[in-house]
Amino acid sequence: MMQFDPETLEQSAIYKLLTGTIIPRPIGWISTIDTNGVNNLAPFSYFNLLGDDPPHVVFSTRRDNHTNKDTLNNVLTTQQFVVNMVTESVVEQMNATSDKLPPEIDEFLHAGVTPISSVKVKPMRVQESPIHLECELAHHYFLEGHQQGGACVIIGRIVMMHYADEVLLDNYKINLETYKPVARLGGANYSKLGELFTIKRNT
């Protein structure tokens, strides 16, 4: 069995090993807005649900070359963001928002998606996504990097949830046949929902 010490391994190798290992990862398609009113939209696969009482999500943004991404700067400034969930129907648009663009470029326009107003926060929502989670910044902390600049972990409290009718079943359950979420794998690979199975808890 091979062994790797992250203190001596190149950062690119660590990235490939871990992003190919911890899979599948949900994608948080994060929309923010800057102080000039310019929309920003970017995908993050270091993303997950953190709790439901009260509801929180978490995502982290890498600081490549010791530089903040526009998303991080906007969240730290405005204290708000929206999570738009990625599905099969918007995966190409999501990929377009991963392009490196200057901060004055509106990624909604770049990707050809429709911005719609939120209810409790200023950042726009992606109309083409079936689920949106409006969030206010609850906590953040920086992970010190020894090669590239580390990362910043963002924890957001969900203050409003939006669900398209077609992805809902009775009793607040989600219809996976119509939701069709997409997950991130390693490299340029993504996955759809495959074969499902059920294991009941022994309670």
Side-chain angles (χ1 to χ4, degrees):
M1 176 175 285
M2 297 290 291
Q3 295 179 322
F4 303 103
D5 184 343
E7 290 297 322
T8 58
L9 197 62
E10 290 185 3
Q11 190 62 41
S12 61
I14 296 173
Y15 175 82
K16 286 184 282 189
L17 286 168
L18 291 181
T19 57
T21 298
I22 302 174
I23 57 174
R25 299 186 307 280
I27 304 167
W29 204 9
I30 308 297
S31 53
T32 58
I33 193 168
D34 70 11
T35 54
N36 295 317
V38 178
N39 295 318
N40 181 268
L41 183 61
F44 294 86
S45 67
Y46 296 170
F47 162 78
N48 220 310
L49 176 68
L50 193 58
D52 62 273
D53 184 22
H56 284 77
V57 291
V58 60
F59 76 96
S60 70
T61 168
R62 294 172 46 174
R63 299 186 66 252
D64 296 334
N65 299 317
H66 303 270
T67 302
N68 289 355
K69 294 183 182 295
D70 295 336
T71 297
L72 176 57
N73 287 332
N74 291 345
V75 171
L76 294 181
T77 300
T78 67
Q79 309 278 291
Q80 296 178 338
F81 62 93
V82 176
V83 177
N84 306 275
M85 298 308 297
V86 177
T87 61
E88 293 179 25
S89 63
V90 294
V91 69
E92 292 292 343
Q93 293 93 325
M94 176 278 298
N95 188 53
T97 61
S98 66
D99 295 344
K100 293 183 179 180
L101 301 171
E104 64 271 15
I105 299 299
D106 186 326
E107 277 91 356
F108 281 81
L109 293 175
H110 176 73
V113 293
T114 309
I116 56 175
S117 297
S118 298
V119 174
K120 291 189 175 183
V121 300
K122 290 183 179 179
M124 295 292 193
R125 297 177 286 136
V126 177
Q127 178 174 286
E128 290 79 5
S129 170
I131 299 175
H132 320 121
L133 306 173
E134 298 184 27
C135 300
E136 293 181 349
L137 179 64
H139 305 284
H140 77 279
Y141 60 93
F142 287 90
L143 305 176
E144 297 296 332
H146 69 291
Q147 294 188 42
Q148 286 293 318
C152 185
V153 177
I154 299 290
I155 297 174
R157 180 167 181 164
I158 301 171
V159 295
M160 183 62 69
M161 303 184 294
H162 305 261
Y163 287 78
D165 292 343
E166 62 266 21
V167 301
L168 286 174
L169 297 171
D170 292 338
N171 197 27
Y172 306 104
K173 293 183 178 179
I174 304 299
N175 187 337
L176 295 178
E177 293 183 359
T178 55
Y179 179 20
K180 297 183 179 179
V182 170
R184 190 79 163 88
L185 303 177
N189 297 314
Y190 294 82
S191 69
K192 304 176 183 178
L193 289 182
E195 181 181 355
L196 303 181
F197 64 94
T198 302
I199 301 177
K200 294 188 179 296
R201 295 185 181 183
N202 296 320
T203 57

